[in-house]
Amino acid sequence: MKVLVIGGGAREHALCRSLSLDPDVSALHCAPGNAGIAEVAELHAVDALDGRAVADLAAGLAADLVVVGPEAPLVAGVADAVRERGIPAFGPSEQAAELEGSKAFAKDVMAAAGVPTARSYVCTTPEEIDAALDAFGAPYVVKDDGLAAGKGVVVTEDVEAARAHANACDRVVIEEFLDGPEVSLFAVTDGETVVPLQPAQDFKRAHDGDQGPNTGGMGAYSPLPWADPKLVDEVLQTVLQPTVDELRRRGTPFSGLLYAGLAITSRGVRVIEFNARFGDPETQVVLARLKTPLAGLLHAAATGALATFPPLRWSDGAAVTVVIASHNYPDTPRTGDPIDGLTEVAEQDAPHAYVLHAGTQRDASGAVLSAGGRVLSVTATGADLATARERAYRAVDRISLDGSHHRTDIAAKAAAGE
């Protein structure tokens, strides 16, 4: 199977790493990729938002499968353009990707499907915003209705900060705060059959102790030793399958990766949000534990064949990812700084720990430089969370990036049994 992956972040590096280890993959391509992905896939320059350009590239490569990683190309209809050329694509249609592209659309789908979620108001005027903030009170949860690359949500006790964020958006969803721990659960679907993956937990705040601003995610771990063993089955029955069934009923079937962001509240499981693609950094730990070869699973989803796909196989161990972010992330991150220590990790920590590149590029001399806010995802596996965590941080300590920061408490409580 020849596979083309679209995107250039750590999520795509994780996908490419797993695909490169799949014996059924005879050729692996990525566009545009990054410095790390170049080690496992052939890179191509392409505008990831240009459906025709992506389809032309896939056709030129004689790709048997195109995997669209990020949300923006999905919302732009790139998967549709690939499918129109007769090439299987893993990723929802433009219409179905509105589940992530519009918070208001997602709320409408959930209401129709009977999926448990937070009560909310969709607001477009300052008057509606004030009324919604008054109705729910603090903590205030304010979500930009459109795509915001993981930074469109503000959760704050400060009503003025909430109001300012809301008024800066064209359309905003204001909702009740959901208490309890958060869980990310991915599911692969072909529009009918839904195959859940293993749950993970990510860390959204920039600094230790869940302090600082929201980011795209500073780390993750899997499995969740504190979670109810029946959680995956419950979410499949009450959230994932009803959502997929409702979208099919509307004539906009969802195939690809359905990501449910969940709150385990005192009143039961509630959906915080849906995403239409693999989440970053949870993908890094989920795929680290998946033993089933990835290409066949994604191809089955892209071709409507999940109903006959064998049950997934998972490692019994754990995985932890720690994100190394550039100076001043998530505000205005500095780029162009050299990264040292990558060779040492590869030589001393493999195969239990490895580095997945997010925002990196090579200069003319071949040196790896920072090229984004989240620069690296250092991922490690182990028999348990404590071991995986120790290996991840040992590898982190080998890496040098001027001005960078990372959290030191990823998976700490879970590893300690708290």
Side-chain angles (χ1 to χ4, degrees), residues 259-321:
Y259 164 153
L262 308 165
I264 313 301
T265 78
S266 54
R267 293 166 294 144
V269 175
R270 297 288 185 271
V271 175
I272 301 169
E273 64 177 356
F274 282 124
N275 291 325
R277 40 70 195 179
F278 281 101
D280 182 343
E282 301 99 320
T283 300
Q284 290 86 302
V285 291
V286 172
L287 292 186
R289 298 185 55 229
L290 179 64
K291 295 175 75 172
T292 297
L294 184 61
L297 173 63
L298 303 187
H299 190 268
T303 56
L306 273 182
T308 56
F309 196 78
L312 300 185
R313 294 181 294 113
W314 296 92
S315 78
D316 292 330
V320 172
T321 283

Side-chain angles (χ1 to χ4, degrees), residues 46-221:
V46 77
D47 179 354
L49 299 177
D50 184 337
R52 177 178 291 182
V54 172
D56 286 346
L57 174 61
L61 295 171
D64 301 299
L65 175 67
V66 176
V67 180
V68 183
E71 59 271 25
L74 292 168
V75 172
V78 168
D80 302 88
V82 171
R83 279 190 280 265
E84 285 166 9
R85 297 289 282 275
I87 303 169
F90 181 82
S93 67
E94 178 180 353
Q95 286 182 301
E98 277 296 285
L99 201 62
E100 176 168 4
S102 168
K103 302 287 191 297
F105 175 76
K107 288 290 188 182
D108 185 63
V109 170
M110 283 188 270
V115 169
T117 187
R119 295 180 298 122
S120 63
Y121 295 103
V122 179
C123 307
T124 56
T125 68
E127 293 77 18
E128 290 174 347
I129 288 166
D130 288 344
L133 293 173
D134 287 344
F136 289 129
Y140 303 98
V141 181
V142 183
K143 299 181 176 182
D144 190 336
D145 184 45
L147 291 180
K151 302 185 193 74
V153 179
V154 166
V155 181
T156 178
E157 298 278 348
D158 183 345
V159 69
E160 292 306 324
R163 184 176 290 118
H165 181 65
N167 282 315
C169 304
D170 290 333
R171 188 159 80 149
V172 69
V173 175
I174 296 174
E175 62 184 38
E176 67 175 328
F177 177 77
L178 296 174
D179 64 327
E182 295 184 13
V183 173
S184 300
L185 183 61
F186 303 159
V188 173
T189 178
D190 57 11
E192 292 193 25
T193 302
V194 181
V195 178
L197 305 186
Q198 288 286 302
Q201 186 172 58
D202 78 332
F203 294 75
K204 286 283 186 228
R205 299 283 185 172
H207 307 304
D208 284 9
D210 293 326
Q211 300 298 305
N214 260 348
T215 71
M218 294 298 292
Y221 69 94

Side-chain angles (χ1 to χ4, degrees), residues 294-348:
L294 184 61
L297 173 63
L298 303 187
H299 190 268
T303 56
L306 273 182
T308 56
F309 196 78
L312 300 185
R313 294 181 294 113
W314 296 92
S315 78
D316 292 330
V320 172
T321 283
V322 180
V323 171
I324 298 177
S326 56
H327 175 74
N328 206 37
Y329 176 79
D331 294 328
T332 309
R334 191 175 77 206
T335 59
D337 289 311
I339 302 167
D340 295 315
L342 298 174
T343 302
E344 288 77 3
V345 174
E347 291 175 349
Q348 299 181 48

